[in-house]
Amino acid sequence: MKKDVRKRIKYSALLALILVIALTGCTPGSSSKGEKTADGRELKQFSAFFAVPGKIAPDDNRVLKAIEEKTGARVTMDWLTGQTAKERIGVLIAGGEYPDFIDGSDGTQQLVAAGALVPLEDYIDKYPNIKNYLGEDWKKMKNTTDGHIYFIPQFGNIQEKSMKVSHDGEAFWIQKAVLEWDNYPTIKTLDQYFDLIERYKAAHPTVDGQPTIGFEIISYDWRYFALENPPLFMAGYPNEGAAIVDKETLTAKNYNTIPEAKAYFKKINEVYHQGLVDNETFTANYDQYISKISTGRVLGMVDQGWQFLDAEASLVKQKLYDKTYVPLSITLSEDVKGRYQNNPILNVNGGLAITKSCEDIEGALQYINDLLDPEMEVLRTWGQEGVDYQVDDKGVFSRNEEQRANSKDPDWVLANTGSPLVYFPHHEGMTADGKNALDPKEQPEEYLATLNDIDKKVLKAYGYTKFTDFLEPAEENEPWFPIYTYNFEPNKPETIARQKMDDVKRKWLPKVIMTSPAEFDKAWEEYQATLKESADIKAYEDALTEEVRRRMELWG
């Protein structure tokens, strides 16, 4: 690196600016600032930071304003931009000031280690909605080191029953247009999947004058799991995230060295050199990835459904319905059953926390408690009665055509009903009275009413009623599932091993994919040797095995 004084000055100024930006809006905000609600109550002010990318809703977002009036509290929310979660959390820790609420994402354990979070176990009995929300899972949430409970999970809490009609987990996705073109084939293996993409791309080399892209892999930043974890699915395991687990021996094994890993990446190497994989796939950032999918020229990808929701919404807004996607359960052989669906789970090792900078801990917990009120949960998801939906004499919710059209417009949603409060705890499944789905898209009548002709045609061709039918039904979760919720504490051997494995994979997986097919075996051997030399894989596997057995003993 050149010792250029001007560059060092510019770098220092930039670092200072990042620090200021990171800390702005993250200082304690639990005060009233003199504002009042319509009925004269003081409006409490809280701040929140979520270490994931997100969109900031305008101040006059209609549903957020209604929530403020009902709760007597406003939350100013900040999202991750321009840094990794660990980097941003590191900046906050260095400054010693935090927002009132925080979800640290990949930086969560840094917050715990820094003593930045408030233990919650002594408060929860005072807040019945929170206590009922957590139920028996509360006992699973104690930190294995100090016994405290720091988080309230936001996702995976099913009320009554799951109403899911679409897949938001990982899968190999394919455009509906591709399936229609090939007369709706059954695709089960990796070879079949890429054979279809190859043939369609040859027949359709361009889309609206731009080159057709056969396959995308998001490998940017923390999202690179879609690059590195397919081997576990190839082998027929569910998404444990951190390892695969032998159910007979209760032994955890890292999936980077299994035979299926080599077979999978050898196939990706092959199709890369056939021109099916986007040649920018390893350099594109997340926004570029979403932008490409939004054009309708990406035939397929491996990813989690929630990662490209914005792209799907854009395609729908453009009425490019045949360019939206179907999830496929892909393995190496038809003899291997795919495990792409799993029953909902609470991530007991992360979630929404309250920081030591919060000056009104009880007020913050009361806000969460209020958000979990049955009436409030309907407001958060359906919007306002008479404006965003109707209720019939049996208590069943519905939308008219204008309301459905509004719900498909991302800009309208962000300005009116779209609420970043999704990163606060909420139920999924059904409303508390059991009459409606909490998510309007999962309401049976609404789901059917919003299907376009392309959707209906595809479902009818396969004899399905919803798009989750393309995947094998979820099996019962094992007591330890998922092992990725293991508490990877800073500086522990298994944590260091995980980081080193990640570093090696980030460097080597693009390399083994892009190397010439004739050199693949050699590159793979070098990658495997580097992985084993750089990381203490045994310490990693031993720690996870111990945790699997601990959970089995406690919860099995």
Side-chain angles (χ1 to χ4, degrees):
M1 183 181 293
K2 294 182 179 180
K3 296 182 179 179
D4 188 316
V5 174
R6 289 172 299 174
K7 286 185 178 181
R8 291 205 302 269
I9 292 172
K10 288 173 67 176
Y11 176 79
S12 298
L14 179 60
L15 185 61
L17 179 61
I18 290 172
L19 182 62
V20 169
I21 292 171
L23 296 178
T24 299
C26 291
T27 53
S30 44
S31 61
S32 68
K33 296 184 180 179
E35 292 189 61
K36 295 184 181 295
T37 62
D39 59 4
R41 291 174 296 156
E42 286 193 354
L43 185 67
K44 292 188 175 184
Q45 303 275 351
F46 294 102
S47 56
F49 171 62
F50 308 109
V52 295
K55 295 181 178 179
I56 298 176
D59 292 340
D60 60 353
N61 176 288
R62 178 164 48 80
V63 167
L64 282 180
K65 297 298 288 184
I67 290 171
E68 286 180 10
E69 287 297 320
K70 289 179 178 293
T71 62
R74 174 183 297 158
V75 178
T76 301
M77 284 164 271
D78 189 20
W79 302 84
L80 188 67
T81 55
Q83 295 170 286
T84 67
K86 290 181 179 179
E87 289 170 344
R88 181 69 179 271
I89 295 301
V91 171
L92 290 176
I93 291 171
E97 292 287 346
Y98 306 92
D100 300 306
F101 297 105
I102 196 164
D103 181 338
S105 186
D106 285 353
T108 291
Q109 293 309 315
Q110 294 170 254
L111 291 166
V112 175
L117 308 180
V118 175
L120 301 176
E121 61 271 12
D122 292 337
Y123 291 94
I124 297 305
D125 283 341
K126 302 176 185 177
Y127 303 94
N129 289 341
I130 297 176
K131 186 175 181 180
N132 291 337
Y133 172 82
L134 293 168
E136 289 302 307
D137 288 304
W138 189 239
K139 62 188 179 184
K140 299 180 182 180
M141 297 174 59
K142 291 184 179 180
N143 185 279
T144 53
T145 300
D146 61 22
H148 288 309
I149 295 168
Y150 294 108
F151 316 104
I152 302 176
Q154 308 104 310
F155 305 100
N157 192 315
I158 303 300
Q159 188 165 249
E160 294 287 329
K161 65 177 182 178
S162 174
M163 300 291 285
K164 193 169 289 296
V165 294
S166 60
H167 183 60
D168 57 7
E170 193 151 342
F172 281 75
W173 302 83
I174 193 81
Q175 277 187 353
K176 292 164 187 168
V178 178
L179 295 177
E180 182 179 19
W181 174 80
D182 202 43
N183 196 29
Y184 306 104
T186 298
I187 305 295
K188 290 294 184 183
T189 71
L190 200 62
D191 285 340
Q192 293 167 351
Y193 178 77
F194 281 114
D195 173 71
L196 175 57
I197 287 176
E198 181 183 14
R199 289 186 289 111
Y200 184 90
K201 185 174 184 290
H204 304 80
T206 62
V207 175
D208 293 333
Q210 293 183 294
T212 301
I213 297 172
F215 189 67
E216 282 283 4
I217 310 170
I218 177 66
S219 56
Y220 179 71
D221 197 28
W222 57 271
R223 301 176 189 273
Y224 98 115
F225 52 76
L227 168 66
E228 63 88 24
N229 75 8
L232 69 86
F233 292 106
M234 294 295 110
Y237 287 91
N239 191 10
E240 296 276 7
I244 55 177
V245 178
D246 187 308
K247 292 197 286 188
E248 300 301 322
T249 63
L250 301 182
T251 301
K253 180 177 179 60
N254 100 89
Y255 49 77
N256 305 293
T257 55
I258 62 177
E260 290 86 353
K262 181 178 181 180
Y264 173 74
F265 286 108
K266 188 166 189 173
K267 183 65 179 181
I268 301 302
N269 169 274
E270 174 189 319
V271 296
Y272 179 86
H273 287 281
Q274 290 173 350
L276 300 186
V277 180
D278 182 12
N279 60 13
E280 297 177 339
T281 203
F282 300 123
T283 57
N285 63 29
Y286 179 64
D287 289 341
Q288 291 167 327
Y289 170 75
I290 292 299
S291 178
K292 287 186 179 184
I293 296 173
S294 299
T295 64
R297 61 192 182 102
V298 177
L299 305 183
M301 60 272 185
V302 56
D303 202 354
Q304 299 214 7
W306 57 266
Q307 285 229 90
F308 61 92
L309 286 175
D310 285 350
E312 279 264 313
S314 175
L315 291 168
V316 169
K317 187 176 181 179
Q318 298 172 69
K319 297 185 178 181
L320 298 175
Y321 304 122
D322 64 332
K323 305 300 185 183
T324 60
Y325 297 88
V326 169
L328 297 179
S329 176
I330 299 298
T331 58
L332 290 176
S333 165
E334 291 194 44
D335 297 331
V336 178
K337 180 181 178 182
R339 295 286 305 277
Y340 286 86
Q341 289 199 90
N342 54 261
N343 289 313
I345 54 97
L346 282 178
N347 181 357
V348 297
N349 203 36
L352 188 70
I354 297 174
T355 75
K356 66 179 184 181
S357 292
C358 182
E359 297 175 354
D360 185 4
I361 296 169
E362 293 192 348
L365 285 166
Q366 184 61 53
Y367 181 72
I368 298 173
N369 192 77
D370 290 344
L371 290 180
L372 290 170
D373 179 81
E375 180 183 338
M376 192 71 70
E377 290 210 283
V378 170
L379 176 61
R380 292 169 67 185
T381 54
W382 281 86
Q384 294 176 302
E385 182 181 347
V387 180
D388 303 303
Y389 69 100
Q390 289 68 241
V391 184
D392 68 14
D393 55 6
K394 295 181 181 179
V396 177
F397 301 167
S398 65
R399 287 170 165 169
N400 58 38
E401 287 304 317
E402 181 183 358
Q403 291 162 342
R404 290 169 189 149
N406 287 338
S407 72
K408 294 179 181 179
D409 183 338
D411 297 329
W412 187 95
V413 168
L414 186 64
N416 289 272
T417 61
S419 175
L421 291 174
V422 70
Y423 265 83
F424 278 79
H426 60 279
H427 286 101
E428 300 169 20
M430 301 192 74
T431 54
D433 61 11
K435 294 181 179 180
N436 298 280
L438 269 169
D439 184 339
K441 296 188 295 295
E442 296 179 352
Q443 184 87 329
E445 295 81 3
E446 285 303 302
Y447 171 69
L448 293 174
T450 55
L451 289 176
N452 57 64
D453 289 342
I454 296 294
D455 291 337
K456 293 175 183 177
K457 191 174 182 180
V458 172
L459 289 171
K460 182 179 180 180
Y462 285 96
Y464 297 151
T465 59
K466 54 189 184 300
F467 285 101
T468 51
D469 292 339
F470 279 86
L471 307 172
E472 291 87 346
E475 298 181 15
E476 184 178 355
N477 292 340
E478 299 292 349
W480 62 81
F481 182 84
I483 199 60
Y484 68 71
T485 58
Y486 173 73
N487 180 18
F488 284 98
E489 297 179 45
N491 302 318
K492 287 289 187 74
E494 63 271 22
T495 308
I496 295 170
R498 181 178 70 159
Q499 183 59 57
K500 289 185 175 180
M501 283 194 290
D502 280 347
D503 293 343
V504 172
K505 286 188 285 185
R506 288 176 189 276
K507 176 181 178 180
W508 273 90
L509 289 178
K511 187 182 294 188
V512 298
I513 289 171
M514 293 188 292
T515 195
S516 71
E519 296 293 319
F520 176 84
D521 287 342
K522 179 183 177 182
W524 184 262
E525 289 173 6
E526 291 177 2
Y527 160 55
Q528 293 288 291
T530 304
L531 196 64
K532 292 169 184 175
E533 290 167 4
S534 301
D536 188 347
I537 294 176
K538 184 178 186 303
Y540 178 82
E541 293 178 337
D542 286 350
L544 292 182
T545 295
E546 182 180 348
E547 178 66 6
V548 166
R549 294 171 183 177
R550 184 187 75 84
R551 294 183 183 186
M552 191 68 181
E553 183 177 345
L554 289 175
W555 310 329

